[in-house]
Amino acid sequence: MRKPTLAAIAAEAGVSLPTVSKVVNGRPDVAPSTRARVEQLLDQHQYRRNGLRTQRRSGLIDLVFNGLDSPWAVEILRGVEEWGAELSIAIAVSSVRHDDARPASWTSAIARHHSDGVILVTSRLTPAQVGQLRGAGIPLVVIDPANTPPPDIPSVGATNWAGGLDATEHLLSLGHRRIGAITGPADMLCSMARLDGYRSGLERAGVAADPALIRYGDFHHEGGFARAVELLGLADPPTAIFAGSDQQAFGVYEAARQRGLRIPDDLSVVGFDELPVSRWASPPLTTVRQPLAEMGSTAAQMLGELIDGGPLRTNRVELSTELHIRDSTSVPRLRGSRKEAL
């Protein structure tokens, strides 16, 4: 069978040849409905757009974060770099912000420097970005996606719901009933999954979830501190707080310190991530281990398989979380014996 021409595909799609060319080359300035129609025909006719890319590899992949100001990102990077070092593949690290005025700018840059593949971490993925990478023939894997990726985009995450459940059940087993929760941004999948696990733990124990004890943070120290100040300022404050990240947990530590509360005597705290610093905090932090480095290496292995043209066993991988109990949690003290806040 003869390879179909772009002109023939353009005629069948009812669009101009330049429009089809834009789709093939990953240009973002094509209406989503038009792009979908052209993409369907390209796939239907098995039009190969990445022949040159499969023959000439750059030996470079891109690792794109939504912000690099976190030890969480360092752990992900460590896993990807270990994989790259074994295969002599270079890793280009960059950061993209949600408020970027040019939402497809990072995909344009990647297409220009001929990346063999992309790993995108905790960032939103728009149809224009997906189309641009597909048009350039660049494989993509997402780690901990902020929103639901298209079903054909491979992704790697952790069992966030189970982690939230384990943290809450641990605090319940110690006797806590007033348990606060500081999760991440309300529009992120992992935030909601951890909060759902928290709610399920309370429900299983027959404890009603109090909306006043639930707060949405930013996964950083500042968010944990600000939301903990709100919780500890309640007329009936929590005796324990489940923070949706270790960094937020350390923010809770500072809020407690400023109110003259001791951890865990006056307030129990559980984090999420198991960052290396968590075991060196004072007191060492009880936290849910999220296998960050393994998430990075797993995503890299999946990307390597895509680059090689092989099929993936699954498009969605969830790695198990595990509760690590340390010294930041204990049985609650009687309310009357708690230290008065300053």
Side-chain angles (χ1 to χ4, degrees), residues 194-237:
R194 293 169 197 177
L195 185 60
D196 286 344
Y198 157 85
R199 288 191 176 111
S200 295
L202 294 177
E203 183 179 354
R204 289 184 181 188
V207 178
D210 184 350
L213 295 181
I214 297 174
R215 294 291 188 277
Y216 295 91
D218 58 6
F219 285 143
H220 296 287
H221 297 85
E222 294 82 2
F225 173 79
R227 303 292 83 79
V229 167
E230 296 171 2
L231 290 173
L232 297 176
L234 294 173
D236 187 12

Short mmCIF file of all heavy atoms in Angstrom, two decimals, residues 194-237:
data_model
loop_
_atom_site.label_atom_id
_atom_site.label_comp_id
_atom_site.label_asym_id
_atom_site.label_seq_id
_atom_site.Cartn_x
_atom_site.Cartn_y
_atom_site.Cartn_z
N ARG A 194 -5.75 11.60 49.14
CA ARG A 194 -5.32 11.52 50.54
C ARG A 194 -6.42 11.95 51.48
O ARG A 194 -6.61 11.35 52.55
CB ARG A 194 -4.06 12.37 50.74
CG ARG A 194 -2.85 11.84 49.99
CD ARG A 194 -1.68 12.79 49.96
NE ARG A 194 -0.74 12.38 48.90
CZ ARG A 194 0.36 13.02 48.58
NH1 ARG A 194 0.70 14.14 49.23
NH2 ARG A 194 1.14 12.57 47.62
N LEU A 195 -7.16 12.98 51.09
CA LEU A 195 -8.27 13.44 51.92
C LEU A 195 -9.39 12.41 51.96
O LEU A 195 -10.01 12.18 53.01
CB LEU A 195 -8.79 14.77 51.39
CG LEU A 195 -9.89 15.46 52.21
CD1 LEU A 195 -9.38 15.76 53.62
CD2 LEU A 195 -10.35 16.74 51.51
N ASP A 196 -9.65 11.74 50.84
CA ASP A 196 -10.66 10.69 50.81
C ASP A 196 -10.26 9.53 51.72
O ASP A 196 -11.11 8.91 52.38
CB ASP A 196 -10.87 10.18 49.38
CG ASP A 196 -11.65 11.16 48.52
OD1 ASP A 196 -12.27 12.08 49.09
OD2 ASP A 196 -11.63 11.01 47.28
N GLY A 197 -8.96 9.21 51.76
CA GLY A 197 -8.48 8.16 52.66
C GLY A 197 -8.69 8.55 54.12
O GLY A 197 -9.08 7.72 54.95
N TYR A 198 -8.44 9.82 54.43
CA TYR A 198 -8.68 10.35 55.78
C TYR A 198 -10.15 10.21 56.15
O TYR A 198 -10.50 9.72 57.24
CB TYR A 198 -8.23 11.81 55.81
CG TYR A 198 -8.84 12.70 56.86
CD1 TYR A 198 -8.32 12.76 58.15
CD2 TYR A 198 -9.94 13.52 56.55
CE1 TYR A 198 -8.87 13.61 59.11
CE2 TYR A 198 -10.49 14.37 57.49
CZ TYR A 198 -9.96 14.41 58.77
OH TYR A 198 -10.50 15.26 59.70
N ARG A 199 -11.04 10.62 55.25
CA ARG A 199 -12.47 10.54 55.53
C ARG A 199 -12.92 9.08 55.71
O ARG A 199 -13.74 8.77 56.57
CB ARG A 199 -13.26 11.18 54.39
CG ARG A 199 -13.15 12.71 54.34
CD ARG A 199 -14.18 13.27 53.37
NE ARG A 199 -14.23 14.71 53.33
CZ ARG A 199 -13.83 15.46 52.30
NH1 ARG A 199 -13.33 14.87 51.22
NH2 ARG A 199 -13.91 16.78 52.35
N SER A 200 -12.36 8.19 54.88
CA SER A 200 -12.73 6.78 54.99
C SER A 200 -12.29 6.20 56.33
O SER A 200 -13.01 5.38 56.93
CB SER A 200 -12.10 5.98 53.84
OG SER A 200 -12.63 6.38 52.59
N GLY A 201 -11.11 6.60 56.80
CA GLY A 201 -10.64 6.13 58.09
C GLY A 201 -11.56 6.54 59.22
O GLY A 201 -11.90 5.74 60.11
N LEU A 202 -12.00 7.80 59.19
CA LEU A 202 -12.94 8.28 60.21
C LEU A 202 -14.26 7.52 60.13
O LEU A 202 -14.83 7.10 61.15
CB LEU A 202 -13.18 9.77 60.03
CG LEU A 202 -12.00 10.71 60.28
CD1 LEU A 202 -12.40 12.15 59.98
CD2 LEU A 202 -11.47 10.58 61.70
N GLU A 203 -14.76 7.34 58.89
CA GLU A 203 -16.05 6.67 58.71
C GLU A 203 -16.00 5.24 59.22
O GLU A 203 -16.94 4.77 59.88
CB GLU A 203 -16.42 6.69 57.23
CG GLU A 203 -17.78 6.08 56.93
CD GLU A 203 -18.13 6.14 55.45
OE1 GLU A 203 -17.36 6.76 54.68
OE2 GLU A 203 -19.16 5.56 55.07
N ARG A 204 -14.90 4.54 58.95
CA ARG A 204 -14.77 3.16 59.42
C ARG A 204 -14.80 3.08 60.94
O ARG A 204 -15.25 2.08 61.51
CB ARG A 204 -13.47 2.54 58.89
CG ARG A 204 -13.46 2.27 57.40
CD ARG A 204 -12.18 1.56 56.99
NE ARG A 204 -12.13 1.29 55.57
CZ ARG A 204 -11.18 0.55 54.99
NH1 ARG A 204 -10.22 0.01 55.72
NH2 ARG A 204 -11.20 0.36 53.68
N ALA A 205 -14.28 4.12 61.59
CA ALA A 205 -14.23 4.13 63.05
C ALA A 205 -15.50 4.71 63.67
O ALA A 205 -15.61 4.81 64.90
CB ALA A 205 -13.01 4.94 63.52
N GLY A 206 -16.46 5.11 62.83
CA GLY A 206 -17.69 5.67 63.34
C GLY A 206 -17.53 7.09 63.84
O GLY A 206 -18.32 7.56 64.67
N VAL A 207 -16.51 7.80 63.35
CA VAL A 207 -16.26 9.18 63.75
C VAL A 207 -16.70 10.10 62.61
O VAL A 207 -16.24 9.95 61.48
CB VAL A 207 -14.77 9.41 64.07
CG1 VAL A 207 -14.51 10.88 64.43
CG2 VAL A 207 -14.31 8.51 65.20
N ALA A 208 -17.57 11.02 62.92
CA ALA A 208 -18.05 11.94 61.89
C ALA A 208 -16.95 12.92 61.50
O ALA A 208 -16.25 13.47 62.36
CB ALA A 208 -19.27 12.71 62.40
N ALA A 209 -16.78 13.11 60.20
CA ALA A 209 -15.79 14.08 59.71
C ALA A 209 -16.31 15.49 59.95
O ALA A 209 -17.42 15.83 59.52
CB ALA A 209 -15.51 13.85 58.23
N ASP A 210 -15.53 16.30 60.64
CA ASP A 210 -15.91 17.68 60.95
C ASP A 210 -15.31 18.59 59.88
O ASP A 210 -14.09 18.72 59.80
CB ASP A 210 -15.39 18.06 62.33
CG ASP A 210 -15.84 19.45 62.77
OD1 ASP A 210 -16.39 20.19 61.94
OD2 ASP A 210 -15.63 19.77 63.95
N PRO A 211 -16.14 19.24 59.06
CA PRO A 211 -15.60 20.13 58.02
C PRO A 211 -14.68 21.22 58.58
O PRO A 211 -13.78 21.69 57.87
CB PRO A 211 -16.86 20.74 57.39
CG PRO A 211 -17.96 19.77 57.70
CD PRO A 211 -17.62 19.19 59.03
N ALA A 212 -14.88 21.61 59.83
CA ALA A 212 -14.04 22.65 60.43
C ALA A 212 -12.60 22.18 60.63
O ALA A 212 -11.70 23.01 60.79
CB ALA A 212 -14.64 23.09 61.78
N LEU A 213 -12.38 20.88 60.59
CA LEU A 213 -11.04 20.33 60.81
C LEU A 213 -10.31 20.04 59.51
O LEU A 213 -9.21 19.48 59.53
CB LEU A 213 -11.13 19.05 61.65
CG LEU A 213 -11.65 19.21 63.08
CD1 LEU A 213 -11.66 17.86 63.79
CD2 LEU A 213 -10.82 20.23 63.85
N ILE A 214 -10.91 20.39 58.38
CA ILE A 214 -10.29 20.11 57.08
C ILE A 214 -9.82 21.41 56.44
O ILE A 214 -10.57 22.38 56.35
CB ILE A 214 -11.28 19.38 56.14
CG1 ILE A 214 -11.65 18.02 56.74
CG2 ILE A 214 -10.69 19.22 54.75
CD1 ILE A 214 -12.74 17.30 55.97
N ARG A 215 -8.56 21.43 56.02
CA ARG A 215 -7.99 22.61 55.39
C ARG A 215 -7.22 22.20 54.13
O ARG A 215 -6.71 21.08 54.02
CB ARG A 215 -7.03 23.32 56.35
CG ARG A 215 -7.68 23.94 57.58
CD ARG A 215 -8.54 25.13 57.21
NE ARG A 215 -9.02 25.87 58.37
CZ ARG A 215 -10.08 25.56 59.09
NH1 ARG A 215 -10.78 24.49 58.76
NH2 ARG A 215 -10.46 26.30 60.12
N TYR A 216 -7.14 23.14 53.18
CA TYR A 216 -6.40 22.91 51.93
C TYR A 216 -5.15 23.78 51.94
O TYR A 216 -5.23 25.00 52.05
CB TYR A 216 -7.29 23.24 50.73
CG TYR A 216 -8.47 22.31 50.61
CD1 TYR A 216 -9.69 22.64 51.22
CD2 TYR A 216 -8.36 21.10 49.94
CE1 TYR A 216 -10.77 21.78 51.15
CE2 TYR A 216 -9.45 20.24 49.86
CZ TYR A 216 -10.65 20.57 50.46
OH TYR A 216 -11.72 19.70 50.39
N GLY A 217 -4.00 23.14 51.82
CA GLY A 217 -2.73 23.84 51.83
C GLY A 217 -2.11 23.89 50.45
O GLY A 217 -2.79 23.84 49.43
N ASP A 218 -0.76 23.94 50.44
CA ASP A 218 -0.04 24.05 49.17
C ASP A 218 1.10 23.05 49.07
O ASP A 218 1.93 23.14 48.17
CB ASP A 218 0.49 25.47 48.99
CG ASP A 218 1.42 25.89 50.14
OD1 ASP A 218 1.73 25.04 51.02
OD2 ASP A 218 1.82 27.07 50.17
N PHE A 219 1.16 22.09 50.02
CA PHE A 219 2.22 21.09 50.11
C PHE A 219 3.56 21.67 50.57
O PHE A 219 4.55 20.96 50.63
CB PHE A 219 2.42 20.34 48.79
CG PHE A 219 1.35 19.33 48.49
CD1 PHE A 219 0.91 19.13 47.19
CD2 PHE A 219 0.78 18.56 49.50
CE1 PHE A 219 -0.07 18.18 46.90
CE2 PHE A 219 -0.20 17.63 49.23
CZ PHE A 219 -0.63 17.43 47.93
N HIS A 220 3.62 22.96 50.91
CA HIS A 220 4.85 23.59 51.36
C HIS A 220 4.75 23.98 52.83
O HIS A 220 3.67 23.96 53.43
CB HIS A 220 5.18 24.81 50.50
CG HIS A 220 5.45 24.49 49.08
ND1 HIS A 220 6.60 23.87 48.65
CD2 HIS A 220 4.69 24.67 47.96
CE1 HIS A 220 6.56 23.70 47.34
NE2 HIS A 220 5.41 24.17 46.90
N HIS A 221 5.90 24.37 53.42
CA HIS A 221 5.93 24.77 54.82
C HIS A 221 4.91 25.86 55.12
O HIS A 221 4.19 25.80 56.12
CB HIS A 221 7.33 25.29 55.20
CG HIS A 221 8.41 24.28 55.09
ND1 HIS A 221 9.06 24.01 53.89
CD2 HIS A 221 8.98 23.47 56.02
CE1 HIS A 221 9.97 23.08 54.09
NE2 HIS A 221 9.95 22.73 55.37
N GLU A 222 4.86 26.86 54.24
CA GLU A 222 4.00 28.02 54.49
C GLU A 222 2.54 27.62 54.59
O GLU A 222 1.80 28.11 55.47
CB GLU A 222 4.19 29.06 53.38
CG GLU A 222 5.57 29.70 53.33
CD GLU A 222 6.60 28.84 52.60
OE1 GLU A 222 6.23 27.75 52.09
OE2 GLU A 222 7.77 29.25 52.53
N GLY A 223 2.11 26.75 53.68
CA GLY A 223 0.72 26.31 53.71
C GLY A 223 0.40 25.52 54.96
O GLY A 223 -0.66 25.69 55.57
N GLY A 224 1.31 24.63 55.36
CA GLY A 224 1.11 23.85 56.58
C GLY A 224 1.03 24.74 57.81
O GLY A 224 0.18 24.54 58.69
N PHE A 225 1.92 25.74 57.87
CA PHE A 225 1.93 26.65 59.01
C PHE A 225 0.63 27.45 59.09
O PHE A 225 -0.02 27.52 60.14
CB PHE A 225 3.12 27.60 58.91
CG PHE A 225 3.13 28.69 59.94
CD1 PHE A 225 3.55 28.42 61.24
CD2 PHE A 225 2.70 29.97 59.63
CE1 PHE A 225 3.55 29.42 62.21
CE2 PHE A 225 2.70 30.97 60.59
CZ PHE A 225 3.12 30.70 61.88
N ALA A 226 0.24 28.07 57.97
CA ALA A 226 -0.95 28.92 57.96
C ALA A 226 -2.22 28.14 58.30
O ALA A 226 -3.05 28.59 59.09
CB ALA A 226 -1.10 29.59 56.59
N ARG A 227 -2.36 26.95 57.74
CA ARG A 227 -3.57 26.18 58.01
C ARG A 227 -3.56 25.61 59.43
O ARG A 227 -4.61 25.48 60.06
CB ARG A 227 -3.69 25.04 56.99
CG ARG A 227 -3.71 25.46 55.54
CD ARG A 227 -4.96 26.23 55.16
NE ARG A 227 -4.91 27.65 55.49
CZ ARG A 227 -4.26 28.56 54.77
NH1 ARG A 227 -3.58 28.22 53.69
NH2 ARG A 227 -4.29 29.83 55.14
N ALA A 228 -2.38 25.27 59.94
CA ALA A 228 -2.30 24.78 61.33
C ALA A 228 -2.64 25.89 62.32
O ALA A 228 -3.27 25.63 63.35
CB ALA A 228 -0.90 24.23 61.61
N VAL A 229 -2.22 27.12 62.03
CA VAL A 229 -2.60 28.25 62.89
C VAL A 229 -4.11 28.35 62.98
O VAL A 229 -4.68 28.59 64.05
CB VAL A 229 -1.98 29.56 62.35
CG1 VAL A 229 -2.61 30.77 63.03
CG2 VAL A 229 -0.47 29.57 62.56
N GLU A 230 -4.79 28.17 61.84
CA GLU A 230 -6.25 28.22 61.84
C GLU A 230 -6.84 27.09 62.69
O GLU A 230 -7.76 27.31 63.49
CB GLU A 230 -6.77 28.11 60.41
CG GLU A 230 -6.38 29.27 59.51
CD GLU A 230 -6.73 29.02 58.05
OE1 GLU A 230 -7.32 27.96 57.75
OE2 GLU A 230 -6.41 29.89 57.22
N LEU A 231 -6.34 25.87 62.51
CA LEU A 231 -6.87 24.72 63.24
C LEU A 231 -6.63 24.85 64.74
O LEU A 231 -7.52 24.57 65.56
CB LEU A 231 -6.25 23.43 62.72
CG LEU A 231 -6.66 22.99 61.32
CD1 LEU A 231 -5.83 21.79 60.86
CD2 LEU A 231 -8.15 22.63 61.29
N LEU A 232 -5.43 25.25 65.12
CA LEU A 232 -5.10 25.35 66.54
C LEU A 232 -5.78 26.54 67.21
O LEU A 232 -5.85 26.61 68.44
CB LEU A 232 -3.58 25.44 66.71
CG LEU A 232 -2.80 24.21 66.22
CD1 LEU A 232 -1.29 24.43 66.34
CD2 LEU A 232 -3.22 22.96 67.00
N GLY A 233 -6.29 27.46 66.41
CA GLY A 233 -7.02 28.60 66.95
C GLY A 233 -8.50 28.35 67.15
O GLY A 233 -9.22 29.23 67.64
N LEU A 234 -8.98 27.15 66.79
CA LEU A 234 -10.39 26.82 66.97
C LEU A 234 -10.73 26.72 68.46
O LEU A 234 -9.88 26.40 69.29
CB LEU A 234 -10.72 25.50 66.28
CG LEU A 234 -10.63 25.46 64.75
CD1 LEU A 234 -10.82 24.03 64.25
CD2 LEU A 234 -11.66 26.40 64.12
N ALA A 235 -12.00 26.96 68.77
CA ALA A 235 -12.45 26.83 70.16
C ALA A 235 -12.24 25.40 70.66
O ALA A 235 -11.92 25.18 71.84
CB ALA A 235 -13.92 27.23 70.27
N ASP A 236 -12.44 24.43 69.77
CA ASP A 236 -12.19 23.02 70.10
C ASP A 236 -11.16 22.49 69.11
O ASP A 236 -11.51 21.85 68.10
CB ASP A 236 -13.49 22.22 70.01
CG ASP A 236 -13.33 20.79 70.52
OD1 ASP A 236 -12.28 20.48 71.13
OD2 ASP A 236 -14.25 19.98 70.30
N PRO A 237 -9.86 22.73 69.33
CA PRO A 237 -8.83 22.39 68.36
C PRO A 237 -8.60 20.89 68.28
O PRO A 237 -8.98 20.14 69.18
CB PRO A 237 -7.59 23.11 68.90
CG PRO A 237 -7.82 23.16 70.37
CD PRO A 237 -9.30 23.35 70.55
#
